[in-house]
C-alpha cells in the first residue's frame, strides 16, 4: 500500500530510528513562500529528546538538511525534501528486541506485517523518532498557513488524571499560543504544572509511564474549507492524527459530551456579528457537515502512556515461540505528552494545508 | 478535491436527499464473490427510516438497483454501481431552508463551500440519507470479508446518559452479533432497552433529540493488517467514520481511559495460547503501531444528537443577512443512533476491505 | 486496484455492455457551472452507434439521466452521477463468446484477470460502449473549460492509409472546430472524405475493418498548467487516452518526426508577440517540461482497426482448452475512428480539467 | 498537485540539478527482497554522464546513499529513501539562464508555473539529472520483478534517421538483453553502431543535437495484469514515460502501423502452445483491453533531440520582456538517447511493479 498522504499535498515520511537518516518529502506546495529556518528549528526543539529531566536522555541535533525544494529562501513549488541524519544511536541496547516483543509496541505487529524483515532496532520505522520529520513538515505547513492568516496552537489538557482547563473558543489568539510555548509545560492553568510534573516524575521513579490528552485549536480558518464524503475536515485531521504513534482517540468540539447532550443543547445557533455570520457557541469545534464554519477548529487527542517502561513485563520470544520475561533497558521517556504537543500541531497544519489547497470553486 | 475513498478500493458516493437518485460505485473488488441479496436488503432495512415510532416517518424502499459489477450473482471485479432512486420526497417541506440555516446542520457550511449552488433540499448531499449507499457498500464489503473469516458487529453503547456495557473482547462471536440484531435496540444489557427508549420518546415529545455512542468490534481479523505512516488501521477507520454525518469522536480500545492509565496498566502482555501469539488483555483494541495484532479490533464512535429539532431556534437568513427564528417542520428522527449502528459497521467493513486488499508482502 | 481517475477530479466509470446500465460519477467539480443539456446530447450523438451506414446497426438512445450533482441547471460541486440505461441488447448474439476468445479483444485477458467471472456479453466492461459515459463526462468538462476560455477540437488524421492534413497550430479556432463537426467525416481536407468512406465500405464488404489516427487540439490554454514528475500534461492526457479501447499510441506535437529532427530544428524559439511571450513554431505541441507554454496543445492518437470482424478467424476455446474457428456474428463497426473523435476530445477535456483544477501557486 | 506516483507504490522524486541532493522515496514495496547493490550501481552508470565522448563532460559519482528501507541487505517493506548528493556543479555556467529562456527547455514553463521561484540553475527540478533517482528506483523494481520471473530490456531503435531492427517478440531473452548491455551502443543490428555514432559526432561538431527512439520489452510477465478504465498497462507505462524529460511519444506493439492495418491483419490469433494459451503474432505488444495476455510487452518511445545546443538561438529575456540571442555554454550531450535507455527500462519496471502489486482477485 502506497505510503503517501494527501491528494493535494503528497507527504512521504521515511526512516528508521537507527538507520542512516529520517526525513520527509513534501509535494504540491505553493511556490514563493519565504521560509524562516529559525522558526523551523525552534519547532524541532519542542519535540527533540533530552531537553529536560522529563525526557529520554537521547540527544539528537535534529537539524533538518534541506535537500531540495527551497531556493534562495523561498519554496520553489517542486518537492521539498528534508533529511535528518541519525547520530546518537546505541544500537546494542536493542539487540534483545529482535526476539522479545515489547508489550504495547509495534514490535510484534511489525514483525508479522513485514515477515520479520523490519528494522527492529529502537522500533525502526515505528519509532516515535519518526515524528521529527512530521514536525518539520508541520513547521513548513504552519508558515504557509500563516500567510493566509491561519494559526495553530495546542496545550496539554490532561496528564495521568490531572486535567487542564479547556480552550475557550471565544478567547483564542496567537498571543495565547505564544504564552503556552514558554511555559515549563504548555497548560492554560499554571497551577497544573507542578501536579503534572510530579505525576511524571513519580512514574519515572516507578519505572512506569503516564499518558494524557492534548487539545489543539486552529484559528483564522475561513468558512467553507472541507468536504462531505469522504474528505471532511475531521476525516483528514483524524487520518493524520492516527498516524502518530500512541494516539488512540480523537474528538472534536465538546467531544465525548455530545453523547449526553440534547440537540437543543448541542446545536450552535447562528448569529450575525458585525457583517459576518458566526455561531454563538462552538460545541461543534468549528466544523459542520465536514466543512469549517469560520469558528476555531478545536479537537482533542488521547495519548496512551509510552509503552517503554523499565518495570519487568511478561511477553513472548517470537523466534522461539515461548513466553519470557522482559526488562527494557535503554533510554525512554516516562511521558511523551509534552513532546507530542508540537506533533499534534504539525498534523493539524498538514491537514489544513491539504484541505486549503483543495478548494476549487 | 476528488471525492473518492481508498487506494485499493475506490468508493464514490453520490446523490442528494431530494434529487433523482443516490448511490455508490465500488472499484477494486475481488471477482468471484457470491452476493446474497437478501442479506444486503436486511442491512438496508436496519438503516431505513420509518421502521418504528423512534424514527422519522419518511418511508423509502431503499432498494438498491445493481447497475453493474455483478453478473450471474457473482462480483465481476469491475466497478459495482448500485443506485437507489428517491421517491418519498416532500420537497416543499424544505423550501424555507434555502435561506434559513438550520443550526448544527451543514446548511451554512455547504452554502459557503459551494457558493450557494448546493442542493439545499433536505440537506442535499449532506443528508443522513446519503448513508444508505454506504450501508449497501458495507454490506457487500462484509460479504467479501466473511469469505476471509472476518465478521463485524456493533451495539449502542450509550444513548443520552444511559450506558450499555462494553464489549468483552474475550467473548465476541458471530452468535453475539446476531443476537444484537434481533433486539428492539441493539444493546448487550437488555435492561437498558426501556431506559433508552424512554429517553428517545421523551426527547421526541419535547421536540428535541438525543445523541449517544456506538461500539463496534471486528473479529477474525488476522495479525499484520495495516500500516505505519500514514495508513494505520485507526487512520483508515477514522477517516471513514468522520465521513458519516453526526460522528464527532472516535476512540480505540479503552479509549479515553488511556489518558489516565499508566504504561504498565495499558500495555497488553503477549502470551502464547495454543501455538498462537496473542495478548492477555485487549486495551489497545487489537491495533499496535497502526497494525492489527490478531485480537478483535474495538472502537467507539461519538454521535451528536440529530440537529433537526422542532423546538424553535435562533439562526440567520443567509440571503438577507439577518437574524431570524426557525421552527423546523418536516419529518425527522429524535434519535439516529439506532439507525447509525449499521452505518458504523459498514464503514468498519469498508476500512478493513481497503486494508486487507493492500497487503503485498 | 482502485478504478478511479484523478487527484483533483475523481472519475469513476461503471457498466457492462449488456448489464442494466452504464455511467459515470464525477467528483471535484467546481460549483455554479451552468450546464447546457442540448450540447451534451449532441456530443453523445457524435459517438452513438447506428447513425449512418458506416456504423454498427445497434441503436441506443444514449440519453444520460442526471442522478445527482446538478441542481436547477447548475453544478452543485458535489458528485455528479449520470446513468445511461442499456436497452437494445441482443445478448443471445454473444453466447458463444463465453468460451471462444475473440482475437484482438479483451475476452481472454478479461477472463484471466477476473478468473472467468467477468461479464463476457458484448465485451462487458471492456466494450467500446463504455466510452459513452466518458463522452458525457467530457461534455461536462468541456463546458467547465469553456468558462475559462479553453476549447477542444479534433479531426480524423488518417483512416487506413489515407491521410488528412495536420492541424496548423497558427490557425486553430472554435470556428474551425465547429466546421469539422458538420462534415460527413471530420477532416480538414474535404477531398479525403470520399476516399476514407470508400476504404471503410470496402472493409465492411470484406467482413474486415480499418483503423486510423485522430489529431486533437486544445486552444485557449494558459501557460503554466501541468507538472514535472509525475503529472506532466502528456502523462495525464496519455493516461486517459490509453483507457480508451483500441488506442495503441499517442504522440505530441510533431510526434514521430522528433526522432529524426535535430535540436536546432525541433526547438521552438521564443518570441514576443504583442506583450506576450509565445513560440514561433509549435513543434512541441504546446508543452515543455510537462507544462503548457501557452501555444495550442496538439496530440495524435493511433487507433487500431476494430477487432470485431466477420471474417472467420482462428482462436481458442478457453473452457475446453482447444483451438477452434470463430465467425463473429452480431453487429459491429467496420471503422470506429469517426465515432472515437468525440471520445478523444472528451479525454482531452478531462485531462485539462484535472490539471487546471490543480494549480495552487 | 501532489507529486507522487502510484496507487500501490508511492514514488516521490525530489531534487534540483544544482541543489544539495536529489533522490527518491519508494513506498509500498514488498519486504524481504534481497538487494544487489552492485547491480544497482551498474544501472546508475548506464545513465551517468561523462562515460564517453558522446556524453556531457559533467562527472557525477551518482552513488545512491540508502537512508532507509533496507536492513541487513533486504527490503524492510517500509519506505526506501535513496539520496544522491550533487557535487560537480558549475553553477556559474547557468547564471544567464535566470532570464534567458532556453528554447525547447522548461525554463519558461517552469518560470510561469512557479511564478519565478523555481531553481533555474541547470534546469533545476526539470533537469535530465533528476532521472538518476528514477534509474535507482527502477533498479530496485527490476530486482523485485526478477523474483517473479519478469525481466526488462531495451535498445536504441533509432538515432537521427538511422533505424535499428525491431525486437522479434518470439526471440526475446535475458541473454539478448545482456548482450545489448555490453555493446558500445545498445542496438540489435551491430552494423548500425558506427552510423549512429557518426550522426552523434556530426551533431556535436555542428553544435547541434540528435533525437531518436527506444524500444523496450518486458518478458516473463504473466497474463492478467492490468485494468480496464483507467489503469490499463498502457496508461501506467505511458504516464511514467511522459514523466521523463524529452519523451514526446509512445506506441505499443506495431504502433503507428496499426493505423493502416486491417482488423484481420492486426488481430493476434490465439493458439494453444503446450498447454498454454498464447498468440501466434504479437502485434498488440502483449496487451489487450489494457491487460497483459502473456506475450512480451513491447513499446517504443520517441525522444526529442536534447534542446541544449551551442548554436546561437533566438529567444526572450523573461525579466525584461524583450527578444534576445542566446548561446548556451556549459556542458551538454549531443545525444541523450543512449543514456535514456536505462531510464526507459526503469519506468517500465516501476509501471509493472505498480500493476503487479495490484492484482487482488
Amino acid at each position: 500500500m502506497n505510503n503517501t498522504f494527501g491528494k493535494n499535498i503528497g507527504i512521504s515520511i521515511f526512516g528508521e530510528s537507527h538507520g542512516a537518516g529520517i526525513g520527509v518529502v513534501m509535494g504540491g506546495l505553493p511556490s514563493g513562500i519565504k521560509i524562516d529556518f529559525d522558526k523551523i528549528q525552534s519547532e524541532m526543539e519542542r519535540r527533540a529528546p533530552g531537553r529536560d529531566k522529563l525526557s529520554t536522555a537521547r540527544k539528537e541535533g535534529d537539524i533538518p538538511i534541506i535537500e531540495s525544494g527551497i531556493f534562495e529562501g523561498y519554496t520553489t513549488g517542486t518537492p521539498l525534501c528534508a533529511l535528518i541524519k541519525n547520530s546518537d544511536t546505541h544500537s546494542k541496547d536493542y539487540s534483545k528486541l529482535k526476539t522479545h516483543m515489547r508489550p504495547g509496541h509495534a514490535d510484534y505487529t511489525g514483525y508479522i506485517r513485514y515477515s520479520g524483515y523490519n528494522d527492529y532496532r529502537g522500533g525502526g520505522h515505528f519509532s516515535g523518532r519518526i515524528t521529527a520529520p512530521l514536525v518539520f513538515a508541520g513547521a513548513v505547513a504552519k508558515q504557509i498557513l500563516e500567510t493566509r492568516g491561519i494559526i495553530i496552537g495546542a496545550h496539554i489538557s490532561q496528564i495521568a488524571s490531572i486535567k487542564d482547563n479547556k480552550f475557550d473558543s471565544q478567547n483564542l489568539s496567537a498571543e495565547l499560543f505564544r504564552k503556552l510555548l514558554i511555559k515549563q509545560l504548555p497548560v492554560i492553568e499554571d497551577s497544573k504544572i507542578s501536579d503534572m510534573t510530579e505525576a511524571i516524575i513519580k512514574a519515572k521513579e516507578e519505572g512506569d509511564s503516564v499518558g494524557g490528552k492534548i487539545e489543539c485549536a486552529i484559528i483564522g480558518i475561513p468558512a467553507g474549507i472541507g468536504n462531505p464524503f469522504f474528505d471532511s475536515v475531521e476525516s483528514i485531521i483524524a487520518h493524520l492524527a492516527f498516524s502518530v504513534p500512541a494516539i488512540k482517540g480523537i474528538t472534536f468540539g465538546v467531544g465525548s459530551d455530545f453523547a449526553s447532550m440534547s440537540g437543543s443543547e448541542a446545536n450552535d445557533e447562528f448569529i450575525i456579528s458585525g457583517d459576518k455570520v458566526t455561531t454563538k457557541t462552538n460545541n461543534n469545534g468549528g466544523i459542520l457537515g465536514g466543512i469549517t464554519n469560520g469558528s476555531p477548529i478545536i479537537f482533542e487527542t488521547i495519548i496512551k502512556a509510552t509503552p517503554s517502561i523499565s518495570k519487568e513485563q511478561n511477553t513472548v520470544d517470537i523466534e522461539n515461540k515461548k513466553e519470557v520475561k522482559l526488562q527494557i533497558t535503554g533510554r525512554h521517556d516516562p511521558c511523551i505528552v509534552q513532546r507530542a504537543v508540537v506533533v499534534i500541531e504539525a498534523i493539524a497544519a498538514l491537514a489544513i494545508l491539504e484541505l486549503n489547497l483543495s478548494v476549487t470553486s
Side-chain angles (χ1 to χ4, degrees), chain A:
Chain A
M1 192 166 195
N2 120 23
N3 63 305
T4 64
F5 173 79
K7 292 174 177 173
N8 295 295
I9 53 172
I11 304 288
S12 300
I13 297 280
F14 60 87
E16 288 95 30
S17 182
H18 291 63
I22 63 179
V24 61
V25 181
M26 310 178 71
L29 299 183
S31 63
I33 305 290
K34 187 160 184 53
I35 296 299
D36 180 332
F37 292 98
D38 289 341
K39 269 195 185 172
I40 288 177
Q41 199 56 39
S42 64
E43 291 284 275
M44 298 304 291
E45 278 166 23
R46 291 174 63 198
R47 194 214 70 89
R51 297 290 161 246
D52 58 40
K53 60 186 173 184
L54 304 180
S55 303
T56 166
R58 177 174 178 173
K59 281 188 204 302
E60 287 282 0
D62 277 2
I63 298 173
I65 305 157
I66 307 299
E67 298 291 350
S68 66
I70 297 181
F71 178 51
E72 298 180 342
Y74 292 85
T75 58
T76 57
T78 52
L80 193 172
C81 176
L83 179 72
I84 302 167
K85 298 298 287 188
N86 287 325
S87 52
D88 183 17
T89 55
H90 292 199
S91 296
K92 66 175 167 7
D93 285 352
Y94 294 99
S95 54
K96 191 185 263 182
L97 301 186
K98 186 172 183 176
T99 54
H100 288 43
M101 308 286 93
R102 292 171 301 171
H105 270 290
D107 298 351
Y108 173 67
T109 55
Y111 182 94
I112 299 296
R113 172 70 174 83
Y114 300 111
S115 309
Y117 288 98
N118 56 312
D119 181 350
Y120 56 83
R121 298 169 301 165
H125 187 58
F126 295 91
S127 168
R129 175 155 174 71
I130 314 305
T131 57
L134 261 189
V135 169
F136 171 86
V140 170
K142 277 179 179 177
Q143 295 193 26
I144 297 171
L145 294 177
E146 275 170 27
T147 67
R148 304 173 188 201
I150 302 169
I151 299 173
I152 295 169
H155 70 110
I156 297 175
S157 50
Q158 187 174 339
I159 278 187
S161 54
I162 302 131
K163 296 183 184 180
D164 188 21
N165 295 345
K166 290 291 178 78
F167 273 139
D168 170 5
S169 195
Q170 309 294 332
N171 287 298
L172 294 170
S173 65
E175 179 58 23
L176 171 66
F177 298 160
R178 268 192 301 272
K179 277 186 189 154
L180 287 169
L181 285 185
I182 54 173
K183 299 189 185 189
Q184 196 189 328
L185 286 177
V187 291
I188 296 170
E189 181 53 49
D190 286 349
S191 65
K192 306 301 174 94
I193 294 178
S194 59
D195 288 355
M196 288 181 177
T197 304
E198 203 175 306
I200 298 170
I201 290 173
K202 181 165 165 289
K204 189 180 184 180
E205 287 167 358
E206 291 172 355
D208 212 333
S209 61
V210 291
K213 294 187 183 179
I214 292 168
E215 193 187 34
C216 183
I218 305 169
I219 61 175
I221 184 104
I225 306 295
N227 304 282
F229 312 97
F230 290 99
D231 293 320
S232 71
V233 175
E234 294 106 323
S235 286
I236 299 297
I237 292 177
H239 192 128
L240 280 168
F242 286 118
S243 299
V244 178
I247 305 293
K248 295 299 279 188
I250 188 167
T251 61
F252 290 83
V254 297
S256 187
D257 290 349
F258 270 120
S260 52
M261 288 167 87
S262 67
S264 61
E265 290 165 336
N267 284 352
D268 298 305
E269 295 191 340
F270 289 107
I271 55 172
I272 292 186
S273 168
D275 60 347
K276 220 170 121 276
V277 173
T278 184
T279 57
K280 197 172 167 186
T281 49
N282 188 17
N283 296 326
N284 282 282
I287 309 165
L288 289 170
I291 297 174
T292 55
N293 65 10
S295 292
I297 296 176
I298 296 183
F299 68 93
E300 191 174 41
T301 55
I302 301 162
I303 297 160
K304 71 175 183 177
T306 175
S308 286
I309 55 176
S310 51
K311 274 190 180 167
E312 188 182 76
Q313 298 178 87
N314 296 310
T315 190
V316 301
D317 172 333
I318 190 72
E319 296 284 352
N320 299 298
K321 288 275 186 309
K322 62 172 187 187
E323 298 185 350
V324 292
K325 300 278 180 195
L326 173 69
Q327 179 123 27
I328 302 176
T329 55
R331 304 156 301 186
H332 35 256
D333 296 297
C335 180
I336 48 113
V337 180
Q338 71 279 23
R339 291 177 58 199
V341 172
V342 67
V343 180
I344 295 300
E345 290 176 20
I347 63 95
L350 291 169
I352 300 306
L353 188 64
E354 164 76 359
L355 288 162
N356 202 19
L357 291 176
S358 79
V359 177
T360 60
S361 66

